[in-house]
Amino acid sequence: MSQSLERGLTVLTALAAGQQTLDQLAKRLGVHKSTAMRLLRTLEAGRFVRREDVHHYRLGSALFDLAHQALEDLDVRGVARQYLVALGEISGHTVHLATLEDNQVVYIDKVDSQHPVRMYSRIGRRAPVHCTAVGKVLVAYWPTQQRRRFAEQLNYPKLTTNTIDSAERFLAELDRVRAQGYAVDRGEHENFIHCVGAPIRNHRGEVVAALSLSVPKVLLDFDGLLGLADDVRRAADGVSAELGWQPENPRAKEV
């Protein structure tokens, strides 16, 4: 690494902790103040640093622009892959990653179960929103009016005896998802499968994907499935953190 680049990165790292004086930065770099001043002027010209007053410097707007662009360019599927694999190893069951497209769930990645009894699914497959754990998670955190409009325009095909079959029931279910931080599918999409899903958020706190664990009932009862909910949430939160979500932010943002 070149000396100038190394010094520039040292300055930016120091300013990330808060404003600094020229004297403080020169001492941190181990150089004369005139050398530090030349470096700061270069960084200031590129908006990487801004002068707060005569004596103090802060990080500049260019860094925030770059950080924002980097977060926007992150690929959810690429970031999530290691968390899907880890959750699959911990649980031994099928893990899905899904997004919302044209009012349907689309599975964009999958880790297969370690058990001989498996569910059929594939990357690219579509599924209804109202009867899948990932579908519920993907819309549960929308503003109230947006949730209601969406619920009222859905069709509610009755796929099993447990399938939600009305907008009011679906909205009530979404309220439960928001309250508990995860969603379940109790044999609503396929009779012999139940699932638990959790939201993945981007740096703005928006739910951009959902992660779920799908288990045949013959392998695990519903209480056993709920016992894995925290593992699912931790995996989803790990992906969210990689995408820039701050865990101290509220899980749900109401408008």
Side-chain angles (χ1 to χ4, degrees):
M1 185 184 298
S2 74
Q3 187 179 57
S4 295
L5 176 58
E6 186 173 6
R7 285 174 175 173
L9 292 174
T10 298
V11 168
L12 297 177
T13 301
L15 293 177
Q19 66 178 13
Q20 302 274 316
T21 65
L22 175 62
D23 287 342
Q24 289 172 319
L25 291 170
K27 183 177 180 180
R28 178 76 172 264
L29 292 169
V31 298
H32 191 272
K33 286 193 293 184
S34 60
T35 301
M37 177 62 77
R38 285 196 296 273
L39 179 59
L40 285 166
R41 284 175 176 166
T42 299
L43 291 171
E44 189 177 5
R47 296 187 297 110
F48 292 101
V49 165
R50 67 181 175 89
R51 188 162 49 182
E52 184 77 359
D53 53 37
V54 176
H55 302 291
H56 294 90
Y57 292 84
R58 288 187 179 275
L59 291 178
S61 60
L63 276 176
F64 298 103
D65 292 341
L66 287 173
H68 179 79
Q69 187 60 50
L71 289 169
E72 290 285 0
D73 289 343
L74 282 174
D75 171 55
V76 174
R77 188 172 185 266
V79 170
R81 183 64 188 176
Q82 62 176 314
Y83 293 92
L84 269 66
V85 171
L87 181 59
E89 290 175 349
I90 290 171
S91 68
H93 299 297
T94 302
V95 185
H96 286 114
L97 179 69
T99 57
L100 192 66
E101 184 177 308
D102 298 329
N103 294 345
Q104 288 184 303
V105 168
V106 179
Y107 295 104
I108 61 173
D109 206 353
K110 174 188 177 183
V111 172
D112 279 314
S113 169
Q114 299 172 11
H115 298 277
V117 179
R118 299 182 179 182
M119 63 175 292
Y120 168 73
S121 63
R122 59 178 173 79
I123 297 172
R125 184 187 181 192
R126 290 174 176 262
V129 172
H130 70 290
C131 58
T132 54
V134 286
K136 296 171 186 177
V137 161
L138 285 165
V139 301
Y141 298 91
W142 289 354
T144 301
Q145 292 305 314
Q146 186 180 1
R147 290 200 307 274
R148 179 164 290 280
R149 285 194 301 271
F150 182 81
E152 289 175 348
Q153 58 88 39
L154 279 182
N155 295 316
Y156 292 90
K158 193 79 171 172
L159 302 180
T160 76
T161 56
N162 290 334
T163 303
I164 292 171
D165 57 7
S166 71
E168 290 308 314
R169 286 186 61 196
F170 184 51
L171 288 167
E173 178 75 356
L174 296 183
D175 286 339
R176 281 190 288 273
V177 173
R178 292 168 65 87
Q180 61 198 14
Y182 63 89
V184 295
D185 158 10
R186 301 190 66 170
E188 300 164 44
H189 185 219
E190 297 175 283
N191 270 316
F192 61 96
I193 298 288
H194 50 196
C195 310
V196 58
I200 291 172
R201 294 176 171 80
N202 65 13
H203 59 289
R204 292 188 293 269
E206 301 162 340
V207 176
V208 293
L211 186 153
S212 71
L213 203 59
S214 301
V215 188
K217 295 178 181 179
V218 296
L219 294 179
L220 193 67
D221 63 17
F222 187 67
D223 288 338
L225 177 70
L226 289 184
L228 297 171
D230 284 344
D231 292 324
V232 176
R233 288 173 62 176
R234 277 191 291 270
D237 285 352
V239 181
S240 299
E242 295 271 4
L243 295 175
W245 178 61
Q246 298 297 316
E248 65 269 22
N249 288 347
R251 284 189 175 274
K253 182 168 59 177
E254 186 68 68
V255 175

